[in-house]
Amino acid sequence: MSAPFIIIAIDGGAASGKSSSSRILAERFNLLHVDTGSFYRHITSELLRRNIPHTDLAAIKAELPKLDFSTRLNGRSAQMLIALQPAGDEIRDQRVNEHVAHYAAVPEVREKLIGYQRDQVNVAKQHGFRGLVMEGRDIGSKIFPAADFRFFMFADPVERAKRRAAEGRQDAIGQRDTIDRHRLDASAQGAIAVDSTYLTLEQVVDQMASLIRAKLE
Ligand code: CDP
Ligand code: CDP
């Protein structure tokens, strides 16, 4: 009998360690890595490029049906294409950092992404992955509430700001956290809490991996 497909949901604030730990878990357990923050960033970048401000809800609603999503693999990671185009490096820039939480707060933007995010299960299966690890803010609460594993990562805000600075990135962490907070609170309920403030990335991943292994074996 083939091994069951597994879903791992990882939520947490900016620079809590979601992406780096998800990538390593994807390697270790042969999973598709899905960074849903990059989806929100790509949509943000695209709407900014089309001169549609986050305050103009009517224009956003009119534009969303025109955004045609598809997926391609970038190594083990799912990459969202809009009109067959991948996002550029600008999705990690200050402009997108400052705007993304505002666009992500628009219910229609979130609605549009729900089906696309859940469909990553099919992408993973088509490419022969054993499961998927999806990271974001509402994965354990909204996208996959019945995931096999639901982790909630957090770290002291000062430490998180230091991590971003060490990457040479300007980031409105505090501002995004405030706007994102209620989604994060919902995600934390019943999830396994992982505090990475005083842990190295390796220690964090080992902790998560041993919990996963214990349940799988
Ligand atoms: O990597 P970092 O934690 O800094 O942010 P991200 O995961 O790339 O997400 C960027 C923004 O997208 C967040 O600040 C949220 O506003 C939004 N987001 C969301 O609303 N829901 C998700 N599942 C993922 C991201
Ligand atoms: O995806 P998210 O924004 O939650 O965080 P990340 O991009 O995985 O991590 C942000 C930075 O913190 C990266 O440079 C990681 O290597 C670093 N990090 C760390 O120093 N210690 C940890 N325990 C976790 C992440």
Side-chain angles (χ1 to χ4, degrees):
M1 218 175 67
S2 62
F5 189 86
I6 57 168
I7 297 183
I8 301 176
I10 302 186
D11 292 299
S16 58
K18 301 181 299 296
S19 286
S20 17
S21 49
S22 300
R23 281 206 185 86
I24 301 173
L25 291 174
E27 279 289 330
R28 287 201 193 168
F29 294 99
N30 183 28
L31 309 172
L32 176 69
H33 166 233
V34 189
D35 171 4
T36 62
S38 72
F39 301 164
Y40 284 97
R41 287 171 180 275
H42 194 179
I43 292 174
T44 297
S45 169
E46 189 60 28
L47 292 175
L48 287 170
R49 197 179 66 78
R50 297 182 185 200
N51 290 317
I52 298 172
H54 68 81
T55 44
D56 191 344
L57 294 183
I60 292 178
K61 273 191 218 171
E63 205 64 20
L64 283 174
K66 300 181 201 161
L67 300 184
D68 182 25
F69 300 158
S70 53
T71 310
R72 77 175 182 195
L73 286 196
N74 180 13
R76 287 187 170 278
S77 297
Q79 187 174 40
M80 173 198 255
L81 307 177
I82 299 182
L84 301 179
Q85 296 304 311
D89 293 342
E90 82 287 348
I91 66 164
R92 308 278 161 200
D93 284 353
Q94 192 182 358
R95 185 156 186 249
V96 171
N97 282 340
E98 279 171 7
H99 286 87
V100 61
H102 294 291
Y103 287 99
V106 176
E108 286 79 5
V109 170
R110 307 198 71 80
E111 281 299 313
K112 167 116 182 159
L113 269 176
I114 292 177
Y116 178 75
Q117 290 171 100
R118 292 191 177 138
D119 191 50
Q120 296 302 313
V121 168
N122 296 322
V123 174
K125 287 181 178 170
Q126 277 157 19
H127 289 89
F129 289 102
R130 196 230 166 124
L132 65 76
V133 52
M134 184 175 283
E135 46 151 326
R137 299 292 185 292
D138 59 348
I139 311 307
S141 59
K142 179 103 193 188
I143 307 302
F144 291 122
D148 300 275
F149 302 92
R150 296 191 300 123
F151 291 103
F152 181 78
M153 306 197 66
F154 62 99
D156 182 89
V158 176
E159 169 64 23
R160 292 191 287 123
K162 274 195 214 154
R163 290 178 188 170
R164 272 289 182 270
E167 293 176 320
R169 291 173 55 189
Q170 285 207 14
D171 198 350
I173 285 187
Q175 186 204 356
R176 283 201 286 131
D177 273 4
T178 307
I179 306 171
D180 295 336
R181 184 146 293 136
H182 55 286
R183 269 187 284 287
L184 275 176
D185 288 347
S187 245
Q189 283 163 23
I192 303 164
V194 181
D195 181 354
S196 75
T197 309
Y198 303 109
L199 299 180
T200 63
L201 181 57
E202 200 181 7
Q203 289 171 322
V204 170
V205 174
D206 283 348
Q207 219 179 66
M208 296 164 97
S210 61
L211 288 169
I212 295 168
R213 228 174 269 116
K215 195 166 157 185
L216 290 184
E217 281 161 7

